[in-house]
Amino acid sequence: MARQPLFDDLEIGEIALQLDDQEPEDVIAWALDTFDEDRIAIVTALQADGMVILDMAYRMKPNIRVMTVDTGRLPQATYTFYDQVRERYPEARFEVLFPDYREVEEMVRRHGINLFYKSVPLRLLCCHVRKVRPLIRALGQLDAWFTGLRRDQWASRAAIRKVEIDHDHDGVIKINPLADWTKEDVWAYIEEFDVPTHPLYAEGYTSIGCAPCTRPIQPGEDDRAGRWWWETNAPKECGIHCPIETGGFEHEMEAIVGHGSPENGPVH
């Protein structure tokens, strides 16, 4: 079913202003009341912020849709934790998104299995094939999605609103209930409500992604330093939440999609 826009930019801007000083639970409740339950989902990598969103939403609507992307390169600890989360929230409708195997095969054939270490554009290409493309396909079936983004996480996220039109993903409504929370707020909620947490946090990880691209941080480093630590002056983003305009991987992506899976159409 094609997405029918429910709001224009002016309307969603007014709603964002109204919700900006509201608690996360109020923002979640607004979204659950506004969108059909089959057209809204939590998208999470099962990190602390996303787990808080899941816990809050589950208390209001246990059958909430929950989507997570399996890139094929995740740590084993993430798969184990996923099963624990399913047991904790048994009524939630969990969905695992996978990359198109033909796109992965073509990318690896062209650039090797560990292409992300070679250059920033190739790392972004890998993120796009394994993570962004599967999400784009899933978002095409939604009217709104929840994220655990916070303004204090990274400079590229400093201006996010609690509710906004995601023009990078065909106008789907993006809901960021924790936008004005701090890391301390997140962990205080987790402790108060005994929310399950990824086991790698106990090993010094502060941002958890693919196994080859994530490490524990060192003393004095910021929380995103464990992502793609070999890169210099590069964005600590994969392209899901913040568009990254490098020009370095667009031609490669077009070639991969055109060669590997033409039915998917153009890359957005």
Side-chain angles (χ1 to χ4, degrees):
M1 182 187 303
R3 178 165 51 245
Q4 299 297 321
L6 298 180
F7 305 101
D8 59 28
D9 286 289
L10 179 59
E11 291 170 329
I12 208 68
E14 292 175 346
I15 294 170
L17 287 174
Q18 295 169 6
L19 294 175
D20 194 62
D21 62 351
Q22 300 298 302
E23 294 298 324
E25 292 92 341
D26 297 322
V27 178
I28 294 172
W30 171 84
L32 294 178
D33 288 341
T34 301
F35 300 98
D36 183 273
E37 65 179 22
D38 292 326
R39 302 283 296 181
I40 186 171
I42 298 168
V43 177
T44 176
L46 307 179
Q47 297 185 67
D49 311 274
M51 289 304 301
V52 168
I53 299 295
L54 171 54
D55 191 81
M56 289 178 174
Y58 189 83
R59 294 170 185 273
M60 303 177 201
K61 186 178 286 292
N63 69 333
I64 185 75
R65 293 181 72 180
V66 183
M67 297 180 174
T68 191
V69 179
D70 181 358
T71 64
R73 302 297 301 268
L74 300 178
Q76 179 57 41
T78 297
Y79 298 112
T80 301
F81 182 56
Y82 176 72
D83 287 338
Q84 296 171 358
V85 173
R86 286 177 59 95
E87 292 177 4
R88 173 65 178 270
Y89 305 99
E91 295 183 49
R93 293 177 288 163
F94 287 92
E95 305 170 39
V96 180
L97 312 177
F98 298 95
D100 187 307
Y101 74 91
R102 292 160 295 187
E103 295 176 12
V104 174
E105 287 179 352
E106 181 67 11
M107 177 181 68
V108 171
R109 185 188 68 79
R110 288 170 177 263
H111 301 293
I113 194 71
N114 289 328
L115 68 160
F116 37 81
Y117 292 133
K118 297 178 181 179
S119 70
V120 172
L122 287 180
R123 191 271 288 175
L124 292 171
L125 174 66
C126 190
C127 288
H128 201 77
V129 169
R130 292 184 179 274
K131 186 182 298 184
V132 178
R133 292 273 293 166
L135 180 59
I136 288 174
R137 289 189 285 270
L139 291 180
Q141 306 302 314
L142 300 178
D143 292 324
W145 62 308
F146 290 105
T147 85
L149 294 182
R150 305 193 324 268
R151 293 166 186 159
D152 70 343
Q153 287 172 324
W154 195 250
S156 56
R157 302 177 178 184
I160 61 172
R161 295 183 172 188
K162 292 186 179 179
V163 179
E164 55 192 5
I165 296 180
D166 190 348
H167 291 291
D168 297 310
H169 296 121
D170 199 30
V172 64
I173 302 299
K174 189 174 184 178
I175 306 154
N176 311 302
L178 304 183
D180 59 351
W181 269 27
T182 65
K183 179 175 66 173
E184 290 73 23
D185 293 326
V186 170
W187 285 96
Y189 181 96
I190 287 172
E191 182 176 356
E192 180 178 358
F193 293 98
D194 192 28
V195 178
T197 56
H198 198 297
L200 288 182
Y201 285 121
E203 299 182 20
Y205 288 75
T206 52
S207 182
I208 303 164
C210 291
C213 300
T214 312
R215 64 161 173 78
I217 65 170
Q218 303 300 314
E221 291 183 321
D222 64 69
D223 285 352
R224 296 286 288 179
R227 289 290 191 99
W228 312 295
W229 62 92
W230 62 88
E231 297 179 354
T232 302
N233 297 323
K236 296 291 185 178
E237 297 285 359
C238 65
I240 284 180
H241 296 297
C242 299
I244 301 171
E245 306 296 341
T246 67
F249 70 91
E250 293 176 359
H251 175 75
E252 288 290 341
M253 192 64 238
E254 183 178 354
I256 287 171
V257 172
H259 181 278
S261 49
E263 76 281 7
N264 286 336
V267 179
H268 297 290

